[in-house]
Amino acid sequence: MELEKFELGATPLKDSAIKEGKVLTVAKKPNLKYAWDNGPAIGRYLAELKEGRIIARKCNKCRRIMIPPRMFCELCWRPTDEWVYVEDTGTVNTFSICYVNWDASRIKKGEKPHLPAVIEIDGASPGMGILHVLGEVEPEKIKIGMKVRAVWKKPEEREGSITDILYFKPVRG
Amino acid sequence: MRERVAIAGLGYTAFTSVSPGSSYRELTYEAAVKAYQEAGIEPKDVDSFVCTSEDMLEGYSISDEYCNDQLGAVLKPAQTIPGDFLHSLAVGVMHILTEKFDIVVVQALSKASNMKTIPDLLNFAFDPVLNRPLDVTAYAVAGLEMNRFLVEGRATREQCAAVVVKNKGNALRNPLAGYGAAITVDHVLDSEPVAEPVRMLDIAPYADGAVVMVLCSEKLAPSLTDKPVWINGIGWASDSPTIESRDWSDAVAVRLAGDMAYRMAGIACPSKEIDLAEVNDEISFKELQHLEALRLFEPGQAGKATEDGKTSLDGTLPVNVSGGGLGVGHLFECSGAQKVLELVLQLRGEAGSRQVPGAGVGLAQAWRGIPTTSAAVAILSA
Ligand SMILES: [Zn+2]
């Protein structure tokens, strides 16, 4: 049997019982909105993504080139020292093939699974990567250690967001 | 005698209505760097970190996971309290009193300017089945409480307004405060009605800021600081969340938290032994209600004392010389931290033009704000 929604645990009250008024309910939609200040590190990172570039920060003590960038090194406990542009290519550190959407609803028949991956970015220190998704690749072809490259939105469509990169695709040949 | 816990390092940002140049990370980092520098320590010297954070205020689920980097707490023992900074301070004190931890760091942060729907968020604290469907503002809780307080003759409307005048005036002497102003009682009484009798100027406006403190054992204190401030007593208590049957004129949880802190500090007569107090004034009348709950004034006397100048900077018991929430800004879970910060500055004699002469013993009190009934109290001495 194919589940409509991914659920763990016992059988909860069904949505239909609530909709049909078979149980007593109250409903109120929360209106909770936030506008987070990004600060200098993430602010610059997003601004550079809009320009089609990936930028990192370097700590001159531990020599790490860190992305996403940060204004202080959490291990050395000191301010980071300089901005460093890194490549838009990298290596798949780990990945997963997801047959449910972000809200745990099952993907429709014929739809491609979601392919989140942690990509270690070329030019950043080993182990430094960003979480993104893979594209233009068959799920069964994905391998840890695979070389990938960013596929960017068109410049006029970019808005200073992590989604200015559409996905990472395998580097062929 | 029970061993005391020392505040050996103090770090803080200014308290401002917005802080667009920094994310929550850089705000806490700024405060942490200052606190560690004062105590001459590095994160590697810290045995445990206690942060203060509440998911709904930060806009993250499990927001405690986001506290560590900016404190240097990565790969170290760390935990988070969803309450006021004073609750976290209590946890830090307990860690040290176990004698298993010598140095503990306590942190709190407000990024109120990043919360775009605060009234909705406060409304969301109502019981979802019994209260929320009525579509009443959470500020109604302050109005209901203040009305009862006034009708019982505990204070006059003008006396409540005098709290606002005093605290915003005090804030003019505090370079960290965001809402200092020279106003009159009439300004308060003539401001926009919100939830009568509560008017716009009765409500502490929101502010951003971060505070970090380094705590240590009495044994270790001399090696970290030559100006320790001692935490002699700490207490906390909560009343029922039930709106329908809580006490509407007395802050019972504040009384219980205060008594717990007094017992630990060995204080028998608070009104004689406390030199200055920083109490919660999120709504003007709460300062009066809290002072009475803390036994610093007899019931019904705090309002008159305020009018007579007894709680002013040059009075017999200066209250909220920092400006309090009304003058510094309401800092949500960081509110109690601003109060302890002010006491530390005062007890060290570093409060500049608002210095209370001869400040020896201070009291800090926090309340978790409308519509809650949770409170915490700390007694500090030089
Ligand atoms: Zn480093």
Side-chain angles (χ1 to χ4, degrees):
Chain A
M1 188 186 76
E2 193 145 297
L3 287 167
E4 182 194 327
K5 191 157 172 151
F6 178 73
E7 273 160 1
L8 296 171
T11 308
L13 200 58
K14 284 194 166 50
D15 278 358
S16 58
I18 295 170
K19 277 187 196 130
E20 291 159 22
K22 289 182 179 161
V23 291
L24 302 176
T25 59
V26 288
K28 197 167 185 347
K29 275 206 176 115
N31 177 31
L32 303 178
K33 292 188 180 136
Y34 306 86
W36 298 284
D37 295 317
N38 284 310
I42 302 302
R44 173 87 187 262
Y45 180 59
L46 297 177
E48 293 287 352
L49 286 174
K50 193 162 191 250
E51 302 305 318
R53 297 187 291 249
I54 302 177
I55 201 160
R57 283 287 287 183
K58 187 178 177 196
C59 170
N60 282 345
K61 188 172 180 207
C62 64
R63 317 291 298 171
R64 287 190 306 161
I65 295 172
M66 300 181 279
I67 95 158
R70 55 208 78 168
M71 296 318 289
F72 52 87
C73 178
E74 78 281 10
L75 299 181
C76 301
W77 191 248
R78 61 188 292 283
T80 50
D81 299 280
E82 50 192 301
W83 294 101
V84 181
Y85 286 109
V86 292
E87 304 297 321
D88 70 349
T89 55
T91 306
V92 173
N93 174 312
T94 185
F95 68 97
S96 177
I97 299 168
C98 298
Y99 294 90
V100 292
N101 296 311
W102 72 273
D103 61 354
S105 58
R106 192 152 283 278
I107 61 170
K108 296 201 178 65
K109 271 215 169 66
E111 263 183 357
K112 292 206 165 106
H114 298 276
L115 304 171
V118 171
I119 295 142
E120 293 187 19
I121 295 293
D122 292 337
S125 293
M128 281 285 166
I130 59 178
L131 176 68
H132 219 284
V133 291
L134 300 173
E136 294 186 43
V137 61
E138 293 307 320
E140 58 276 14
K141 298 272 175 64
I142 305 171
K143 296 274 184 297
I144 285 172
M146 185 182 213
K147 299 295 289 180
V148 292
R149 171 185 300 280
V151 175
W152 295 83
K153 275 185 185 164
K154 288 187 204 131
E156 62 273 20
E157 288 170 8
R158 290 182 208 140
E159 47 196 6
S161 161
I162 190 70
T163 54
D164 288 350
I165 297 173
L166 290 166
Y167 51 82
F168 283 79
K169 69 171 188 181
V171 177
R172 316 239 176 237
Chain B
M1 191 182 144
R2 190 202 298 259
E3 191 176 336
R4 296 180 299 175
V5 173
I7 297 174
L10 184 64
Y12 49 89
T13 66
F15 303 106
T16 54
S17 57
V18 293
S19 50
S22 304
S23 71
Y24 68 91
R25 296 181 186 89
E26 290 102 25
L27 272 188
T28 288
Y29 179 71
E30 179 186 339
V33 166
K34 289 177 186 167
Y36 300 169
Q37 191 165 32
E38 245 199 33
I41 61 160
E42 290 179 42
K44 66 174 172 48
D45 304 319
V46 178
D47 300 311
S48 130
F49 296 83
V50 186
C51 309
T52 319
S53 167
E54 225 174 300
D55 294 1
M56 299 284 259
L57 304 184
E58 318 305 330
Y60 295 54
S61 294
I62 323 179
S63 59
D64 42 314
E65 292 293 307
Y66 292 85
C67 295
N68 297 344
D69 286 15
Q70 53 273 22
L71 272 178
V74 177
L75 305 175
K76 301 279 284 184
Q79 68 186 98
T80 299
I81 302 298
D84 184 86
F85 172 88
L86 278 182
H87 292 102
S88 301
L89 190 70
V91 171
V93 167
M94 288 189 278
H95 281 184
I96 287 176
L97 292 181
T98 63
E99 299 183 1
K100 303 288 180 198
F101 307 83
D102 285 323
I103 301 180
V104 176
V105 164
V106 187
Q107 174 266 4
L109 166 89
S110 169
K111 257 292 194 183
S113 66
N114 288 185
M115 297 149 61
K116 306 317 280 184
T117 52
I118 291 174
D120 300 71
L121 191 140
L122 296 181
N123 185 270
F124 216 58
F126 275 137
D127 183 291
V129 175
L130 299 174
N131 306 141
R132 232 187 268 164
L134 298 170
D135 281 334
V136 168
T137 169
Y139 289 102
V141 174
L144 294 165
E145 202 173 328
M146 183 171 178
N147 201 25
R148 185 84 205 188
F149 193 73
L150 294 179
V151 169
E152 286 189 11
R154 297 283 292 277
T156 66
R157 187 64 195 75
E158 288 72 19
Q159 288 166 350
C160 297
V163 171
V164 185
V165 173
K166 168 179 70 73
N167 291 358
K168 284 190 180 292
N170 286 346
L172 291 172
R173 294 169 178 264
N174 183 355
L176 300 173
Y179 294 98
I183 58 166
T184 65
V185 164
D186 283 340
H187 280 124
V188 181
L189 300 182
D190 293 342
S191 61
E192 277 301 289
V194 176
E196 286 275 38
V198 174
R199 296 210 159 214
M200 201 66 185
L201 286 177
D202 288 303
I203 304 172
Y206 308 120
D208 296 355
V211 176
V212 173
M213 293 188 197
V214 177
L215 311 184
C216 73
S217 59
E218 189 160 9
K219 271 197 287 291
L220 204 62
S223 63
L224 297 191
T225 178
D226 51 11
K227 46 186 181 185
V229 167
W230 303 101
I231 303 170
N232 297 320
I234 197 152
W236 63 99
S238 294
D239 199 347
S240 164
T242 310
I243 297 272
E244 289 76 3
S245 55
R246 62 171 63 163
D247 190 312
W248 282 98
S249 58
D250 275 315
V252 182
V254 174
R255 167 147 298 190
L256 295 172
D259 286 350
M260 181 176 168
Y262 291 144
R263 272 198 305 279
M264 183 173 164
I267 287 183
C269 185
S271 62
K272 291 208 176 69
E273 295 175 62
I274 303 290
D275 297 323
L276 79 163
E278 289 279 312
V279 304
N280 180 286
D281 60 337
E282 188 183 326
I283 316 288
S284 61
F285 80 99
K286 295 297 283 187
E287 173 167 315
L288 307 176
Q289 185 199 42
H290 291 153
L291 288 172
E292 293 173 7
L294 291 164
R295 305 180 195 281
L296 295 170
F297 292 95
E298 293 293 320
Q301 294 306 306
K304 173 129 194 350
T306 304
E307 249 175 5
D308 293 347
K310 286 186 181 154
T311 59
S312 299
L313 181 50
D314 56 357
T316 49
L317 176 66
V319 175
N320 285 330
V321 287
S322 69
L326 290 160
V328 175
H330 175 41
L331 297 160
F332 288 88
E333 67 266 51
C334 189
S335 292
Q338 182 272 323
K339 297 184 187 311
V340 177
L341 159 66
E342 178 66 17
L343 291 185
V344 174
L345 295 175
Q346 290 282 351
L347 295 169
R348 286 178 180 174
E350 296 173 354
S353 69
R354 64 182 194 286
Q355 180 65 47
V356 174
V361 179
L363 177 147
Q365 176 252 325
W367 166 54
R368 284 188 74 199
I370 46 174
T372 78
T373 53
S374 291
V377 173
I379 312 289
L380 275 60
S381 74

